[in-house]
């Protein structure tokens, strides 16, 4: 019986080594090790042997069984690798292949105009010592509202309704949420900006989208005042528009700043004389800003008796629209390649 076993083993191993597909291996496994398999049959007949032989043969068959199993496994690995390599060799695509002589030049892609302005603004702020932070687009109520001094009953929530997930989270309505996360993590003094995509429950028209882009920023230090805010905003605008801009601050209400402002600039189209872009007022509303509310600092574990800060929000779609004279915000997400080619 020992001889019979060893022959079965030798034969099985040689078939394994020659097997060309994983299917073949599987068939072989069933034939030898399966419920009615050759080796299984041998093990079944052990009962008929005398005690001593039974132990020795039993041990041998178990050893051979293990060896066969590992040989099957090894061969399977080899075959899988071969299959992958074959696919790599056969199934590839030469993206540079074109019909000879038909293409004069390769069309190159470029960044979306919103990304372009975002990276420009990131460069301007990093050159002024700001750090760039990121945060999730699906936010908790806490980071988007509560920690920004907007409790559940607050009417300011109506201005920023959004899309809610079934488990009570939301698509962030502003990138201010990034700053709350920043405050928790950083020790003052610090300067940060948080660029990103934001969402609102809007009825869509030429100037409203349900998905748009912002860069919000915040500086926390000793004795920060409105003068600091104005200085940084004027520097930013000069860099973006490549000229001095005239600005004015109007009171504006946001629960997370006190005092809060709307910063307007002299209309860049008419220079302040009045035109259709500025609705004949000479001024264009550009960015909301203010000094960080003490409650918001407290939520960020910052002592408002020791530290103060300013914050601002920039709408990137708005900036790009002003820069290029685009009159409809819906172009940005339209995916219309003719629109994108222009930038
Ligand atoms: N988070 C506000 C918004 O998206 C903008 C803002 C930022 C206002 C910072 C004031 C200060 O509407």
């Amino acid at each position: 019986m020992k001889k019979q076993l060893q022959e079965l083993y030798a034969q099985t191993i040689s078939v394994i080594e020659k097997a060309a597909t994983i299917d073949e291996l599987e068939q072989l496994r069933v034939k030898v090790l399966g419920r009615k398999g050759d080796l299984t049959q041998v093990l079944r007949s052990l009962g008929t042997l005398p005690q001593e032989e039974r132990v020795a043969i039993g041990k041998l068959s178990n050893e051979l069984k293990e060896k066969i199993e590992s040989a099957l496994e090894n061969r399977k690995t080899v075959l899988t690798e071969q299959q992958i390599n074959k696919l790599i060799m056969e199934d590839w695509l030469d993206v540079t292949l074109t019909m000879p002589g038909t293409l004069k030049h390769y069309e190159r892609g470029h960044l979306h105009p919103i990304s372009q302005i975002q990276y420009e603004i990131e460069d301007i702020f990093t050159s002024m010592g700001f750090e760039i932070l990121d945060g999730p687009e699906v936010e908790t109520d806490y980071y988007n509202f509560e920690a920004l001094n907007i409790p559940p009953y607050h009417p300011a929530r109506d201005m920023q309704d959004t899309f809610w997930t079934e488990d009570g989270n939301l698509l962030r309505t502003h990138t201010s949420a990034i700053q709350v996360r920043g405050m928790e993590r950083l020790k003052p003094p610090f300067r940060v900006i948080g660029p990103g995509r934001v969402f609102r429950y809007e009825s869509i028209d030429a100037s409203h989208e349900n998905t748009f882009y912002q860069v919000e920023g915040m500086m926390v230090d000793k004795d920060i005042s409105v003068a600091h805010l104005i200085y940084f905003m004027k520097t930013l605008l000069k860099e973006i528009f490549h000229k001095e801009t005239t600005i004015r601050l109007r009171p504006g209400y946001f629960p997370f700043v006190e005092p809060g402002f709307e910063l307007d600039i002299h209309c860049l189209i008419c220079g302040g004389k009045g035109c259709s872009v500025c609705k004949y007022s000479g001024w264009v509303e550009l960015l909301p800003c203010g000094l960080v509310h003490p409650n918001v600092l407290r939520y960020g574990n910052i002592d408002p008796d020791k530290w103060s800060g300013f914050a601002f929000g920039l709408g990137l779609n708005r900036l790009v629209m002003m820069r290029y004279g685009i009159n409809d915000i819906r172009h940005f997400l339209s995916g219309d390649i003719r629109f994108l080619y222009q930038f």
Side-chain angles (χ1 to χ4, degrees):
M1 189 168 256
K2 192 170 162 191
K3 199 159 157 251
Q4 194 193 339
L5 268 177
Q6 269 155 351
E7 266 168 24
L8 175 62
Y9 172 72
Q11 204 193 343
T12 309
I13 293 293
S14 90
V15 182
I16 291 179
E17 263 150 28
K18 278 190 231 117
T21 65
I22 291 173
D23 272 353
E24 266 174 56
L25 282 181
E26 178 57 18
Q27 278 162 18
L28 185 66
R29 193 187 62 78
V30 174
K31 183 172 171 297
V32 180
L33 305 177
R35 238 162 19 97
K36 292 189 186 138
D38 303 341
L39 189 65
T40 320
Q41 304 282 15
V42 175
L43 283 168
R44 283 228 179 99
S45 64
L46 281 181
T48 61
L49 298 174
Q51 165 79 8
E52 246 172 70
E53 220 179 314
R54 196 192 310 166
V55 175
I57 297 287
K59 190 160 166 265
L60 178 65
S61 9
N62 277 325
E63 279 169 17
L64 297 183
K65 184 171 172 221
E66 274 171 31
K67 281 194 191 165
I68 293 175
E69 275 166 354
S70 81
L72 281 168
E73 221 25 67
N74 291 341
R75 184 70 191 153
K76 195 169 159 190
T77 314
V78 172
L79 287 177
T80 314
E81 260 171 41
Q82 280 177 1
Q83 210 173 16
I84 292 173
N85 285 335
K86 193 165 153 247
L87 277 178
I88 293 174
M89 293 303 291
E90 286 173 356
D91 241 12
W92 62 290
L93 180 71
D94 182 353
V95 291
T96 67
L97 197 65
T98 50
M99 294 268 283
T102 55
L103 200 61
K104 303 275 185 308
H105 64 279
Y106 294 104
E107 296 277 0
R108 278 215 183 178
H110 61 71
L111 292 174
H112 191 281
I114 298 231
S115 304
Q116 292 178 21
I117 205 153
Q118 178 187 323
Y119 295 157
E120 258 177 61
I121 289 170
E122 289 181 4
D123 283 346
I124 297 169
F125 277 106
T126 43
S127 80
M128 298 193 287
F130 282 71
E131 193 181 328
I132 302 168
L133 302 183
D134 199 3
E137 291 179 349
V138 181
E139 259 301 0
T140 60
D141 186 283
Y142 177 80
Y143 285 113
N144 196 82
F145 291 126
E146 291 245 25
L148 287 160
N149 208 24
I150 315 177
Y153 54 79
H154 202 290
R157 287 196 175 212
D158 286 353
M159 302 189 300
Q160 299 196 1
D161 198 4
T162 182
F163 303 90
W164 295 79
T165 63
E166 276 166 11
D167 57 0
N169 293 315
L170 50 91
L171 297 192
R172 66 179 177 201
T173 59
H174 47 188
T175 43
S176 309
I178 300 178
Q179 295 166 67
V180 181
R181 291 174 176 275
M183 280 190 288
E184 281 180 351
R185 200 163 50 78
L186 301 168
K187 291 239 171 326
F190 60 77
R191 305 170 189 193
V192 295
I193 56 167
R197 185 158 57 159
V198 300
F199 309 85
R200 292 199 195 166
Y201 179 73
E202 290 283 1
S203 89
I204 296 173
D205 61 26
S207 46
H208 296 89
E209 253 290 8
N210 56 33
T211 303
F212 53 102
Y213 293 77
Q214 292 186 328
V215 172
E216 289 198 22
M218 159 184 247
M219 171 170 178
V220 175
D221 209 318
K222 293 249 150 74
D223 304 319
I224 292 291
S225 72
V226 177
H228 295 100
L229 170 64
I230 292 176
Y231 167 78
F232 277 97
M233 294 305 103
K234 285 198 83 163
T235 311
L236 168 71
L237 296 174
K238 189 172 146 196
E239 294 284 333
I240 294 180
F241 295 118
H242 305 294
K243 59 178 163 196
E244 288 290 344
T245 47
T246 310
I247 65 162
R248 74 174 182 192
L249 294 184
R250 280 181 296 122
Y253 177 69
F254 302 93
F256 32 90
V257 284
E258 179 60 36
F261 307 105
E262 293 285 358
L263 186 151
D264 300 338
I265 60 170
H266 241 172
C267 178
L268 293 171
I269 310 291
C270 63
K273 284 199 216 68
C275 68
S276 64
V277 171
C278 59
K279 300 195 190 92
Y280 300 97
S281 71
W283 295 95
V284 176
E285 182 178 313
L286 192 69
L287 65 102
C289 52
L291 296 188
V292 185
H293 196 290
N295 284 349
V296 175
L297 292 173
R298 276 189 209 104
Y299 275 115
N301 296 324
I302 294 170
D303 182 353
D305 293 328
K306 291 201 187 117
W307 304 97
S308 49
F310 68 73
F312 59 91
L314 268 173
L316 293 184
N317 302 64
R318 190 72 180 291
L319 276 181
V320 176
M321 287 169 82
M322 297 232 318
R323 177 185 271 185
Y324 296 110
I326 299 167
N327 57 9
D328 195 324
I329 193 171
R330 288 170 289 197
H331 286 305
F332 290 112
L333 297 177
S334 68
D336 188 336
I337 205 87
R338 293 167 305 178
F339 170 71
L340 295 173
Y341 270 146
Q342 305 174 84
F343 309 101

